[in-house]
Amino acid sequence: MTNIDAPAGISVPARAPRPVLVLLIMSVAAGLSVAGNYFAQPLLGLLRSELDMSTTAAGLTVAMAQVGYAVGLGLLVPLGDRYSRRGLAAVLLAGTGLLLGVAGASPGGSVLLMATGLAAVTSVGAQVLVPFAAEISPPDRRARSIGVVMAGVLAGGLIGRAFSGIVAELAGWRAVYWITAALLVGIALVVLSALPEGERDTSDATRPLRLWRSTATLLVELPALRWPIAIAALAMASFTIHLTAISLLLISRPYAWSPAAIGLIGLLGVLGPLCMPLAGRFVDRGHSRAVLLTGLASAAAGWAVMLPAQNGQVFWLVVGVVLINVGQTAMLNASQTTCYELRPEARSRINAVFMTLFFAGGAVGGVLAPIVWVSAHWTGTCLLGVAITGLGLLAAAFTHRHGQREHGTRHVLRP
């Protein structure tokens, strides 16, 4: 590839990477990066007993992960529009590994809380890798590349919970953190040595303070971002409600399932990430709006078919979980790809805004789920899920992408 008309202050790599290997490394790195944010969920009992933590303090390890991730999205991810995303991702991956190592050696609850909270901040290395995948991919493969890396992010959360519980039972809870710490430092070295450097823009316009200011005002500067992000936030609210509601359903009669059995249902969610590259293939062919509508319709249908599950009909529960997870990943791929194309040189900032509001939607869903469950149980929760997803579907069906696309010189690595 030749460097044609490169803007001042921007450097581009001289050689194209092997795309399959690069995306595999990115996907694994992204999954490992976020996995640690979910380790504490199955370990709360062990942490209380071995570190003499109160129930509240142990529960804060979960909350600290969410707060830390939000801080990292706002402060660190936008820096990818200035510095080499390869180098930034490698530093954050290694930092996450070192902090998880400290968490594993924690002598008490306060050190564990501090280490896991800081590790969550640096775990946004995963969200540096997602726009990096868009940067180094040709336009006709960009959505698929995003899908592969995002599949790693989503799978990391799902597998992280299972990994934590299994390893803790076999080797103790500290081994969970130490093993992951070693893997993260190792994958950081692989990222640094095997991935292309990517673009850098060291002009005055990308100084950190200006990047953060630009990130904060991006929804004003780019009105076309608002609808895709709003739709994604609604979908995430619905998705979070389904995670909570299914757990509440399965611990109640007529199910009364054990945590292990409930975990098996949760593993069905892996089907979503597996389908994301397929969704990306259709987005790359110019069908992003169709993929978005299909994903939202699938999720809404999933809520509807799960209604009979309150009577013990587990088949419909399984069908609904699959439809919701597959629909969620299709929606996410179409929405992210659409947003990234609005301003290619600001993909990291766009991703920071997108993911912050995306998870904010999930937080709203997490608050609504137990409230509706107490008052209306399974039927009311399913109807809420249909209503929220349906609202997103209506918004997607009757809105079009307006807003200007800012054209500039783009540099793409072709395989």
Side-chain angles (χ1 to χ4, degrees):
M1 188 191 83
T2 58
N3 182 4
I4 302 173
D5 298 329
I10 296 180
S11 64
V12 295
R15 62 184 178 85
R18 290 173 291 176
V20 174
L21 177 60
V22 165
L23 290 176
L24 178 61
I25 292 170
M26 286 182 163
S27 184
V28 172
L32 284 171
S33 182
V34 301
N37 294 337
Y38 301 91
F39 285 167
Q41 294 178 5
L43 302 179
L44 295 181
L46 288 172
L47 297 178
R48 282 189 309 174
S49 59
E50 295 195 21
L51 294 181
D52 194 26
M53 299 175 72
S54 66
T55 300
T56 301
L60 279 176
T61 58
V62 178
M64 286 290 287
Q66 302 305 313
V67 173
Y69 200 73
V71 171
L73 284 172
L75 292 182
L76 300 178
V77 173
L79 299 179
D81 287 334
R82 178 176 177 85
Y83 303 108
S84 163
R85 291 188 177 108
R86 180 189 69 176
L88 180 60
V91 168
L92 292 176
L93 288 164
T96 304
L98 293 174
L99 288 164
L100 289 180
V102 172
S106 298
S110 58
V111 175
L112 179 70
L113 283 171
M114 179 192 69
T116 54
L118 291 174
V121 175
T122 58
S123 72
V124 296
Q127 297 304 334
V128 173
L129 290 168
V130 177
F132 191 19
E135 173 194 331
I136 66 173
S137 300
D140 61 347
R141 296 186 183 182
R142 187 162 290 147
R144 274 174 285 178
S145 298
I146 293 169
V148 170
V149 180
M150 276 304 299
V153 175
L154 298 175
L158 291 167
I159 296 172
R161 296 182 184 93
F163 171 81
S164 177
I166 293 169
V167 173
E169 187 170 338
L170 294 175
W173 69 269
R174 295 183 188 273
V176 176
Y177 290 95
W178 287 338
I179 291 171
T180 309
L183 291 173
L184 277 165
V185 172
I187 199 68
L189 295 174
V190 173
V191 165
L192 201 57
S193 62
L195 269 57
E197 184 179 357
E199 298 180 354
R200 287 182 293 174
D201 181 355
T202 56
S203 63
D204 287 343
T206 63
R207 290 183 183 277
L209 286 177
R210 292 188 177 185
L211 281 178
W212 293 326
R213 189 182 303 118
S214 172
T215 302
T217 60
L218 208 51
L219 289 176
V220 176
E221 297 173 9
L222 282 179
L225 275 178
R226 297 170 190 168
W227 279 112
I229 292 179
I231 291 166
L234 285 169
M236 186 58 179
S238 173
F239 186 77
T240 305
I241 290 169
H242 115 276
L243 292 175
T244 304
I246 286 174
S247 296
L248 293 172
L249 175 71
L250 295 179
I251 62 175
S252 307
R253 295 189 180 278
Y255 293 95
W257 283 11
S258 68
I262 295 173
L264 290 176
I265 287 288
L267 286 178
L268 289 171
V270 174
L271 291 173
L274 290 177
C275 291
M276 185 171 268
L278 178 62
R281 185 179 297 271
F282 286 101
V283 172
D284 284 330
R285 292 176 180 173
H287 306 302
S288 60
R289 190 160 179 263
V291 171
L292 177 65
L293 293 172
T294 302
L296 291 165
S298 173
W303 277 111
V305 303
M306 285 198 303
L307 275 167
Q310 64 183 333
N311 300 319
Q313 298 184 40
V314 71
F315 171 78
W316 294 112
L317 182 66
V318 170
V319 172
V321 169
V322 170
L323 287 173
I324 289 173
N325 278 273
V326 171
Q328 177 75 356
T329 55
M331 175 283 306
L332 183 56
N333 187 272
S335 297
Q336 280 186 295
T337 304
T338 296
C339 290
Y340 289 162
E341 293 304 296
L342 292 173
R343 188 178 289 181
E345 74 278 10
R347 285 190 178 115
S348 289
R349 280 166 283 173
I350 287 173
N351 199 45
V353 174
F354 185 100
M355 283 297 164
T356 299
L357 295 179
F358 182 67
F359 285 109
V364 172
V367 171
L368 289 176
I371 294 174
V372 175
W373 178 270
V374 169
S375 58
H377 301 289
W378 180 250
T379 299
T381 305
C382 286
L383 293 176
L384 176 64
V386 170
I388 293 176
T389 310
L391 183 61
L393 182 60
L394 287 173
F398 293 105
T399 59
H400 299 275
R401 194 173 84 187
H402 296 297
Q404 62 182 14
R405 179 190 297 241
E406 295 188 5
H407 293 283
T409 303
R410 277 192 287 176
H411 304 277
V412 176
L413 301 184
R414 295 184 180 274

